Amino acid sequence: MPSKAPVQTLDATDLILTFKREDASKTEATLTAEWDVDLAGTWTSVAITRAPDGTDTLANGVTVTVATNGASPDDITVKIPRANAVGNKLFGRIKATKP
C-alpha cells in the first residue's frame, strides 16, 4: 500500500507538499497546511478547503491546488513560499482532524 504521508520538495521559490486525498475524507476530515521556522514555536496554519479542480491563494502567499481524479484520490499540492523562512529554515506539514 502506498504511503499516505505528504511528499516534500523544494524549488527556487517554494516548499512544496504533495499528497493524495480520498473523496470520502472531504466530509470526514478537516485539512490544514502548517509551517514553522524552528519546530519549537507556534505553527502557522491555513485551511485546505478547495474541493473541485483549481487553485486557492491563502494567507502568507500559500497556494493550494487540487486536481480531482474521478473516483481515484485527488492530487493536492500545497506551496509555502520560501520567503516565509527565517534564517533559511522552513518546515511544513499537513494536519488532519476529524470534527
Side-chain angles (χ1 to χ4, degrees):
M1 173 179 249
S3 172
K4 300 285 185 184
V7 174
Q8 180 175 296
T9 57
L10 285 173
D11 68 13
T13 57
D14 298 301
L15 168 63
I16 304 165
L17 304 174
T18 56
F19 63 99
K20 302 276 189 186
R21 177 180 64 189
E22 296 286 340
D23 290 341
S25 73
K26 292 176 190 176
T27 58
E28 296 294 323
T30 300
L31 297 177
T32 56
E34 299 186 328
W35 72 94
D36 193 16
V37 297
D38 62 11
L39 296 177
T42 302
W43 289 80
T44 302
S45 300
V46 292
I48 298 173
T49 58
R50 174 164 282 283
D53 289 337
T55 301
D56 290 328
T57 300
L58 308 170
N60 296 71
V62 174
T63 62
V64 175
T65 302
V66 173
T68 58
N69 296 312
S72 297
D74 300 340
D75 293 310
I76 312 291
T77 302
V78 177
K79 292 185 176 184
I80 303 166
R82 292 177 76 171
N84 292 339
V86 173
N88 245 2
K89 294 182 182 177
L90 185 63
F91 302 90
R93 67 184 182 187
I94 302 299
K95 181 177 178 181
T97 55
K98 186 168 172 96

